[in-house]
Amino acid sequence: MGADDGRRVTITAIAREAGVSVPTVSRVLNGRSDVAPGTRERVEELLRHHGYRRRTSRSVRRAGLVDLVFNDLDSPWAVEIIRGVEDVGHGAGLGTVVSAIHRQPTAARQWLQNLRTRATDGVIFVTSHLSPPLHAQLRRLNVPVVVVDPAGVPAMDVPTIGATNWAGGLAATEHLLSIGHRRIGFVAGPTHLLCSRARLDGYRAGLEAAGVPVDDKLIYPGDFYHASGFSGGTALLDLADPPTGIFASSDQMAFGVYEAIRRRGLRVPDDVSVVGFDDLPEARWASPPLTTVRQPLVEMGRLAARTVLRLSQGEGIDSPRVELSTELVVRDSTAAPPTGSPDPS
């Protein structure tokens, strides 16, 4: 008899209702990657609906918890990652412990001390640098680790989950070029993050491929939050020859750019086009709806959780470095530059 929650729900019953084989359900439960996304979502939804809880072997002790560690939790971007991790956790009978360490060594040490007093099946770090001492201590605790959007290059034995940030930066820049923009500003993300540097490199590559010189005066540093988008947009519009299009490397910064444009009495996209990066839920409800690069944040969270689950069960993984595809989503915040705009090319 399979695991149940009092209603004797079995893997066989789940498989029959989903229209798949029993081994397919087993692969979903074990976090295996060789299941079609649509099939996986259908099975996970049925597992959640029936409250299925996987029976664990007596030889393998499971804590029933996964730790999800952020530097900060004041971003809707973080919520999307949490959604993905919890999707998988619910289906596998795992709870999620969410922590924020605010980039403070004392907070990280306190988190680790708390971890020593309880069990966990694995840790997912998000936009973090996994220092060698911390990694060594987690290894001693026999805790598997996955990093989402690493801040630096992690150890070879630490799996990472990311997105095709360079391709996304290239796609955003090529879109603005394709509709006639040649003065394209860029509000960058934190330079210590690999994803930020990749988006900047994609922006540079797009300009260079089009024969448009890269003007460092059009690149403004940011931190992914609204305020830096506003200050970046303001600085770019203050230039003697301001850009006709601005690519912000996060949606939140793009919304800050919107405000800078509005305070000048200008309009998006009539006077200045704007492109973001992330495709947060509010991007489609902005005024106007934001053209942006979609990165699959929920799926990144899901894949991180599946990877931790497999590692906690002593299973191998298909690849230690995974990048999920980004996609340009064109909405109403981009248009051809105003008539009469200078063309430096």
Side-chain angles (χ1 to χ4, degrees):
M1 184 173 67
D4 63 68
D5 65 349
R7 291 178 291 176
R8 302 182 187 278
V9 180
T10 65
I11 288 180
T12 301
I14 295 291
R16 184 166 54 248
E17 188 170 350
V20 300
S21 67
V22 170
T24 296
V25 176
S26 180
R27 286 197 292 272
V28 172
L29 283 168
N30 289 324
R32 295 274 297 274
S33 61
D34 52 345
V35 180
T39 300
R40 181 185 302 280
E41 291 180 6
R42 186 164 71 253
V43 171
E44 288 178 342
E45 175 60 31
L46 287 170
L47 292 167
R48 287 192 297 269
H49 175 72
H50 289 292
Y52 182 88
R53 293 295 180 267
R54 185 179 184 274
R55 173 178 291 177
T56 59
S57 166
R58 293 184 179 180
S59 62
V60 179
R61 296 181 60 189
R62 287 186 56 192
L65 294 173
V66 168
D67 278 75
L68 180 56
V69 181
F70 293 87
N71 284 313
D72 298 290
L73 282 170
D74 53 355
S75 167
W77 182 90
V79 174
E80 299 301 294
I81 298 290
I82 294 170
R83 282 179 52 202
V85 172
E86 291 204 323
D87 276 354
V88 173
H90 288 323
L94 296 173
T96 306
V97 179
V98 180
S99 304
I101 57 176
H102 308 292
R103 299 181 179 85
Q104 296 177 1
T106 54
R109 286 194 295 270
Q110 183 61 55
W111 169 80
L112 184 61
Q113 183 61 37
N114 292 339
L115 190 68
R116 291 193 184 101
T117 66
R118 59 176 171 83
T120 186
D121 289 311
V123 179
I124 301 168
F125 288 100
V126 184
T127 60
S128 300
H129 172 62
L130 182 60
S131 66
L134 177 58
H135 185 205
Q137 292 185 67
L138 291 170
R139 276 203 307 264
R140 284 195 292 271
L141 293 172
N142 198 30
V143 174
V145 176
V146 175
V147 180
V148 176
D149 269 344
V153 179
M156 290 301 295
D157 61 339
V158 177
T160 62
I161 311 294
T164 52
N165 291 287
W166 183 89
L170 177 66
T173 308
E174 287 182 337
H175 169 65
L176 289 169
L177 290 165
S178 73
I179 57 178
H181 293 274
R182 292 298 180 269
R183 290 283 290 174
I184 300 173
F186 181 75
V187 185
T191 57
H192 68 280
L193 293 179
L194 294 177
C195 61
S196 298
R197 300 202 293 270
R199 293 170 199 178
L200 174 58
D201 288 345
Y203 160 81
R204 290 179 179 275
L207 294 178
E208 291 168 356
V212 176
V214 176
D215 185 348
D216 288 339
K217 292 191 297 293
L218 291 176
I219 300 173
Y220 189 90
D223 60 9
F224 285 160
Y225 291 97
H226 290 85
S228 66
F230 174 74
S231 58
T234 300
L236 290 169
L237 294 173
D238 278 342
L239 294 173
D241 185 10
T244 60
I246 297 176
F247 169 30
S249 60
S250 79
D251 285 353
Q252 286 187 282
M253 291 197 302
F255 299 145
V257 172
Y258 269 28
E259 181 62 20
I261 293 169
R262 278 195 290 267
R263 292 198 187 185
R264 289 298 176 89
L266 303 175
R267 293 178 299 175
V268 179
D270 305 64
D271 302 301
V272 184
S273 289
V274 180
V275 180
F277 201 110
D278 285 331
D279 197 24
L280 297 174
E282 55 264 45
R284 69 185 63 189
W285 304 112
S287 181
L290 178 66
T291 294
T292 187
V293 176
R294 175 184 296 154
Q295 61 170 336
L297 297 171
V298 173
E299 183 55 33
M300 288 162 65
R302 288 177 182 147
L303 182 56
R306 291 176 194 137
T307 303
V308 157
L309 184 60
R310 291 190 68 174
L311 293 172
S312 72
Q313 295 170 339
E315 299 181 13
I317 57 175
D318 297 328
S319 173
R321 305 285 181 264
V322 177
E323 289 190 344
L324 301 182
S325 296
T326 52
E327 175 190 3
L328 180 70
V329 181
V330 179
R331 297 193 178 102
D332 299 335
S333 67
T334 50
T339 303
S341 296
D343 182 353
S345 63

